[in-house]
Amino acid sequence: MLDLRDVKAAVRQLTMEKGFPEEKIWEIIELAIARAYKKEHLKKGEIIRAKIDQETGGVKFYKVMIVVDKDMLREESGTEEEPYFDDEENISNTDKKIRFNPDKHILIEEAKKEKKNAQVLDEIVMPLETDDNFTRIAAQSAKQTIIQEIRELEKTLALDEFKDKENELVSGTIQRIENNNIYINLGKASGLLLSKEAIPNESFRIGDRKKFLALGMRESAGTLMILLSRTHPTFVEKLLEMEVPEIQEKVVEIMAIAREPGFRTKIAVKTNNNEVDPVGACIGPKGVRINALNDEIPAEKIDVVEYSEEPARFVGNALSPVSIEETEIIPESREIKVYVEPNLLSAAIGKNGQNVRLASKLTGWNIKIYSSLTATEIKTEEERE
């Protein structure tokens, strides 16, 4: 007889922590016990099932026989063998011949003695002697089966839950940190945030709840892991989309994103509705929408600018809040010379050239900043290197 208190506690824990269906956990335990019983008492080919009484902890065992008829059997002779299946799971394919195994097959004539309305491929279930006193080896075998089946169930549920969530936001709780990699509890699956996908200098604490971008899946040590990112440009895009109904409704469209994670992001947006201000829609009343992004990634400055098909205008918007005096476009090299007042040179370039560098990435144009008075090119830190 099973110690129901311990078993039920384990079932509840798996149900709460992993989101596993309770009935599926009981099925796995019954499968493990049946395999242990079979290993201890019966032949390899036999099909055994166990049924746990969840009220008393009692376990009953059954032998399952598959009903076959003679037309399904391959002839035992010295001639070339016909194709056959030796696995009860494939026996339903009656186009193939099977080898009769008296340990798991029963002819239809004999089956009707046990069950009058028996049909081919039915199961005849026969009770077996109950034995609760498994040996140490059998008990260990049951334990290993449960662990293996739980892992398989975890993989199946994770696949069902996350197969369509690539490049989508997911939420999870920080579980542990090892070698600068972050392990996340996503409910029905485990997530992995590699150090290269974490925002620089961002700190994590066990129990913190964060949002992540799902990149895909990989199997590690028998466990299916969801690969996560907080540095990908799409992460910011999805955060903004979640906060801005106009983006969800396709009234406002995100056209481009340039990002240096943990420092600054520029987002270009547009709308085909003249009554909607795309930048204002993203910022929200009193900045409430953009502030929601800042709550998730507080160390990162986020600029939302209006997209334009006109290169000069788009570049001017991308360099915001700096106002430009004049632009000169060189299409063959996709270069734009931008002239600003001398006192705005530093702001236009940004710290370590970040503002102009991100503006160049956002617009796809190589932006050169000049003083409107001296026409002396100010090179960015990136160019000096």
Side-chain angles (χ1 to χ4, degrees):
M1 188 169 294
L2 294 176
D3 185 339
L4 271 182
R5 185 175 59 181
D6 289 346
V7 173
K8 286 185 174 181
V11 170
R12 283 195 300 269
Q13 183 178 358
L14 286 168
T15 301
M16 293 175 61
E17 292 183 0
K18 299 291 186 179
F20 294 164
E22 185 172 328
E23 64 275 10
K24 190 64 180 177
I25 304 299
W26 283 107
E27 286 178 15
I28 288 173
I29 296 171
E30 289 172 342
L31 173 65
I33 293 173
R35 287 183 180 176
Y37 183 98
K38 177 178 175 178
K39 185 175 182 179
E40 187 74 6
H41 297 287
L42 302 173
K43 297 178 182 178
K44 184 177 180 180
E46 293 176 291
I47 306 170
I48 305 302
R49 290 183 187 153
K51 185 63 179 177
I52 299 172
D53 187 324
Q54 296 180 28
E55 297 298 325
T56 67
V59 183
K60 293 183 178 180
F61 297 93
Y62 303 90
K63 180 176 179 178
V64 179
M65 305 291 284
I66 307 296
V67 180
V68 298
D69 64 26
K70 292 180 180 179
D71 292 337
M72 298 170 61
L73 306 180
R74 83 178 238 265
E75 294 182 5
E76 299 291 344
S77 68
T79 60
E80 184 177 352
E81 294 183 352
E82 299 175 79
Y84 69 93
F85 284 109
D86 197 31
D87 186 340
E88 67 274 7
E89 293 180 0
N90 295 317
I91 197 172
S92 60
N93 187 344
T94 54
D95 292 335
K96 302 289 185 180
K97 296 290 186 178
I98 64 169
R99 176 190 290 132
F100 182 80
N101 184 341
D103 292 325
K104 66 180 178 182
H105 298 147
I106 183 171
L107 289 171
I108 184 68
E109 295 82 6
E110 295 297 319
K112 286 183 179 294
K113 295 177 183 178
E114 301 288 337
K115 180 182 175 183
K116 290 184 179 180
N117 60 344
Q119 301 291 323
V120 171
L121 300 182
D122 279 356
E123 294 181 349
I124 302 297
V125 180
M126 302 176 179
L128 292 171
E129 180 183 352
T130 299
D131 182 357
D132 296 321
N133 298 316
F134 296 120
T135 64
R136 181 181 59 82
I137 296 175
Q140 183 65 22
S141 173
K143 180 180 178 181
Q144 291 302 318
T145 299
I146 291 171
I147 292 172
Q148 181 182 345
E149 292 296 324
I150 290 293
R151 285 177 177 172
E152 290 301 317
L153 177 59
E154 189 171 21
K155 288 182 195 176
T156 300
L157 293 177
L159 279 170
D160 290 343
E161 179 78 11
F162 292 94
K163 64 184 178 182
D164 298 322
K165 290 191 177 181
E166 188 171 336
N167 289 325
E168 295 294 335
L169 286 183
V170 295
S171 295
T173 304
I174 310 301
Q175 202 167 38
R176 70 182 193 276
I177 302 171
E178 294 180 5
N179 300 322
N180 294 322
N181 296 325
I182 318 297
Y183 292 84
I184 317 296
N185 181 0
L186 298 173
K188 292 183 180 179
S190 297
L192 175 61
L193 182 71
L194 297 172
S195 56
K196 66 179 181 179
E197 298 294 340
I199 296 171
N201 302 318
E202 185 174 34
S203 60
F204 294 95
R205 293 179 300 178
I206 306 300
D208 282 353
R209 189 162 185 83
K210 297 283 186 180
K211 293 184 177 67
F212 308 87
L213 182 74
L215 297 179
M217 302 182 185
R218 88 172 186 191
E219 193 167 333
S220 175
T223 301
L224 194 66
M225 305 292 291
I226 312 301
L227 297 178
L228 306 172
S229 177
R230 284 175 61 84
T231 61
H232 200 287
T234 305
F235 176 63
V236 176
E237 177 183 346
K238 293 297 181 179
L239 285 175
L240 188 63
E241 180 180 330
M242 186 174 65
E243 298 296 333
V244 182
E246 289 85 349
I247 295 178
Q248 300 168 24
E249 296 164 4
K250 311 298 183 185
V251 176
V252 173
E253 184 178 356
I254 297 174
M255 300 301 294
I257 294 180
R259 187 182 183 203
E260 293 187 358
F263 299 98
R264 194 169 187 176
T265 292
K266 287 182 180 286
I267 306 172
V269 296
K270 77 166 189 177
T271 181
N272 294 320
N273 187 335
N274 294 330
E275 297 181 359
V276 175
D277 171 13
V279 175
C282 292
I283 293 174
K286 297 183 180 180
V288 65
R289 293 174 178 174
I290 206 69
N291 286 341
L293 271 69
N294 291 329
D295 290 342
E296 183 68 34
I297 40 177
E300 199 163 321
K301 178 176 173 55
I302 299 172
D303 301 327
V304 182
V305 303
E306 187 171 1
Y307 172 82
S308 176
E309 296 286 351
E310 300 175 17
R313 184 179 176 187
F314 189 18
V315 166
N317 293 343
L319 289 171
S320 176
V322 176
S323 298
I324 62 176
E325 295 282 297
E326 184 182 349
T327 58
E328 180 183 345
I329 301 175
I330 308 172
E332 55 271 17
S333 60
R334 287 196 65 81
E335 180 178 303
I336 292 185
K337 295 180 179 180
V338 175
Y339 297 92
V340 300
E341 293 181 3
N343 63 323
L344 296 178
L345 283 173
S346 178
I349 295 169
K351 185 178 181 181
N352 297 323
Q354 187 180 78
N355 192 50
V356 68
R357 186 166 60 249
L358 283 173
S360 293
K361 290 179 181 179
L362 187 73
T363 62
W365 286 85
N366 185 17
I367 302 172
K368 303 290 187 179
I369 308 293
Y370 291 84
S371 166
S372 59
L373 295 181
T374 65
T376 301
E377 182 178 358
I378 308 297
K379 294 187 176 181
T380 65
E381 185 69 23
E382 189 177 66
E383 290 173 319
R384 292 191 187 101
E385 294 174 354

